[in-house]
Amino acid sequence: MKYHVAVLPGDGVGPDVVNEAIRALDAVGRRFGHDFKYEFGLIGGISIDKYGEALTRETLQMCSRCNAVLLGAVGGPKWDDPKAKVRPEDGLLAIRKALDLFANLRPVKMLPLMENSTSLKAEIVRGVDLLVVRELTGGLYFGKPKRRWKTKSGSRRAVDSMVYTEKEIARIIRTGFELALKRRKKLTSVDKANVLESSRLWRQIAQEIAAEYEQVKLDHMLVDTCAMRLIQNPAYFDVIVTENTFGDILTDEASLLSGSMGMLPSASLAGIPEGKNPRAFGLYEPIHGSAPDIAGQNLANPIATILSTAMMLRYSFGLGKEAAAVESAVLNVLEDGHRTKDIMSDGMKQAGTIEMGKLIEKRIEG
Ligand code: NAD
């Protein structure tokens, strides 16, 4: 089977980690008889330098012609001027909106052998295996009116709008239920229904859709309670579904549970991942940024990006067995004691980006 992957390495460590993810995908291709074809494009600072835009129409068209997108990271001090007209992150927002990538999935799993590399106590993070499903194309970040103005008296005002349609809420809630069905069948819908009207609609729609998913246990939690519970008792959660802004904050908080930014993958899907072998179009990227402090030095941890390709295999190509092969290859390499610098501890063997990629490649090949 042939799969077309659009590859946007981006800036900083983006190219370092994306190279290793391609190495892993090629190993999957050799072992399972699939043909992965890559088309490369620019996004972020490197695209601004070449074209004056963070994402060109041609690159966007190339992405929509493919079956999935693999992205590295964007940004860096070179493009940090707050007065700049174009910023690397504009490319991220543009691609999410243009490709209707409404569901952002961020799994956080604490591997027993990594328990001591987080800033939280081992007994708190033990057994953590959760998935945050964040709405990505609506709410405060996109809602209108969104503007700033001066009143007659000359004082400044600004407004952002947390707007949600029934359709937008229903598709992300359904995504949460579908994913919970394939896991421990527990869905926590997070809102602020005690204060916000959009949250009250959110909660009502979640309750209505729950009738279609009797096997899944649904609970509702206020976002402030959720922020607290994530640190107090993170093992409580299976799947969390929430709106854009709440999800942005909660996913960053949840990422702390696992030790290093270099370990966490993500998927942003344009369809509901229904059934046993979902085939939703999606964009896959590590959760970390461009890490300019270590870019090009063979120091970046490629595991987050490699695990993102496992998500691509599972959610865009319907290749669950192949995805599991990538995940267990990563686990085996960690069990063998190999670590990149960010997750290094006493008695372990340090590996660079490329060495780590090659170790995982070898394990995938079996
Ligand atoms: P960052 O995630 O790039 O780095 C934070 C820290 O984590 C740094 O010390 C870095 O060395 C380390 N780190 C990150 N990824 C790592 C990896 N794979 N292996 C080992 N260590 C890793 O966040 P930042 O420093 O706040 O931002 C740097 C740039 O990235 C900024 O321009 C920011 O706007 C951009 N950014 C981009 C994205 C994205 O592309 N999705 C996300 C966040 C930040």
Side-chain angles (χ1 to χ4, degrees):
M1 198 57 198
K2 221 180 219 175
Y3 299 95
H4 291 267
V5 181
V7 183
L8 309 177
D11 308 315
V13 292
D16 305 0
V17 293
V18 160
N19 280 344
E20 301 316 311
I22 289 177
R23 198 192 295 282
L25 272 181
D26 285 340
V28 169
R30 285 194 294 278
R31 173 162 159 200
F32 294 93
H34 303 303
D35 190 2
F36 297 106
K37 290 267 173 266
Y38 308 103
E39 280 195 61
F40 290 83
L42 303 183
I43 190 168
I46 192 167
S47 177
I48 296 177
D49 286 353
K50 183 143 189 212
Y51 303 114
E53 299 174 65
L55 179 73
T56 64
R57 199 152 53 107
E58 289 69 30
T59 306
L60 203 49
Q61 279 166 352
M62 183 270 280
C63 291
S64 34
R65 275 198 311 270
C66 290
N67 306 109
V69 182
L70 174 64
L71 194 145
V74 302
K78 185 176 174 194
W79 306 280
D80 257 357
D81 177 4
K83 289 196 210 107
K85 281 210 180 80
V86 211
R87 297 178 58 83
E89 288 78 6
D90 296 344
L92 291 181
L93 287 182
I95 199 168
R96 286 173 190 168
K97 197 68 185 171
L99 300 178
D100 198 21
L101 302 168
F102 68 87
N104 180 233
L105 278 48
R106 279 196 192 182
V108 180
K109 193 169 180 172
M110 174 45 70
L111 304 172
L113 49 86
M114 299 290 294
E115 269 177 16
N116 293 320
S117 34
T118 98
S119 36
L120 289 152
K121 287 186 194 138
E123 59 264 34
I124 298 275
V125 293
R126 193 159 298 141
V128 167
D129 180 4
L130 61 86
L131 172 64
V132 184
V133 180
R134 165 189 170 196
E135 202 291 324
L136 204 59
T137 51
L140 266 184
Y141 295 2
F142 295 95
K144 300 274 167 55
K146 178 189 256 319
R147 68 187 184 98
R148 201 197 258 231
W149 73 99
K150 255 189 190 163
T151 63
K152 279 184 190 142
S153 65
S155 82
R156 288 171 291 177
R157 287 203 179 172
V159 64
D160 294 287
S161 307
M162 194 183 267
V163 182
Y164 270 109
T165 65
E166 176 167 356
K167 184 178 155 225
E168 284 173 325
I169 298 175
R171 66 182 181 176
I172 194 75
I173 296 281
R174 253 179 234 290
T175 300
F177 274 111
E178 287 292 333
L179 293 166
L181 267 182
K182 297 182 192 102
R183 295 172 47 101
R184 302 193 302 280
K185 301 185 174 53
K186 184 171 161 193
L187 179 65
T188 303
S189 169
V190 174
D191 60 37
K192 188 72 185 162
N194 54 343
V195 180
L196 301 175
E197 200 50 52
S198 57
S199 278
R200 286 193 272 273
L201 179 61
W202 179 281
R203 193 174 279 213
Q204 191 180 350
I205 291 173
Q207 276 158 353
E208 288 161 9
I209 294 178
E212 297 166 35
Y213 293 91
E214 281 173 359
Q215 308 100 297
V216 177
K217 186 180 174 312
L218 170 72
D219 66 350
H220 304 276
M221 195 176 281
L222 295 176
V223 63
D224 32 349
T225 312
C226 182
M228 206 168 60
R229 189 75 67 90
L230 268 175
I231 297 295
Q232 207 178 39
N233 181 16
Y236 169 87
F237 297 103
D238 179 13
V239 179
I240 294 174
V241 63
T242 193
E243 69 86 47
N244 202 344
T245 309
F246 299 159
D248 192 0
I249 299 164
L250 293 176
T251 47
D252 266 25
E253 186 189 358
S255 72
L256 273 182
L257 301 170
S258 96
S260 167
M261 303 275 267
M263 300 288 290
L264 292 177
S266 82
S268 301
L269 306 181
I272 300 173
E274 287 168 297
K276 232 172 142 193
N277 298 310
R279 280 161 179 269
F281 180 85
L283 178 149
Y284 300 84
E285 60 181 322
I287 71 146
H288 61 74
S290 61
D293 50 332
I294 56 168
Q297 299 171 44
N298 197 29
L299 282 176
N301 185 346
I303 290 178
T305 319
I306 291 173
L307 290 175
S308 300
T309 66
M311 295 185 84
M312 176 189 293
L313 293 166
R314 180 170 290 123
Y315 296 119
S316 282
F317 303 158
L319 300 175
K321 197 162 35 103
E322 289 80 346
V326 173
E327 287 159 351
S328 56
V330 168
L331 186 62
N332 292 154
V333 168
L334 292 170
E335 280 168 349
D336 289 346
H338 300 288
R339 300 283 188 275
T340 42
K341 193 169 174 224
D342 54 311
I343 49 172
M344 187 62 191
S345 58
D346 286 349
M348 298 293 138
K349 295 168 263 190
Q350 191 166 325
T353 313
I354 299 168
E355 293 74 46
M356 184 54 98
K358 286 186 171 168
L359 285 162
I360 295 169
E361 172 190 36
K362 222 166 149 195
R363 282 290 191 160
I364 295 172
E365 283 171 337

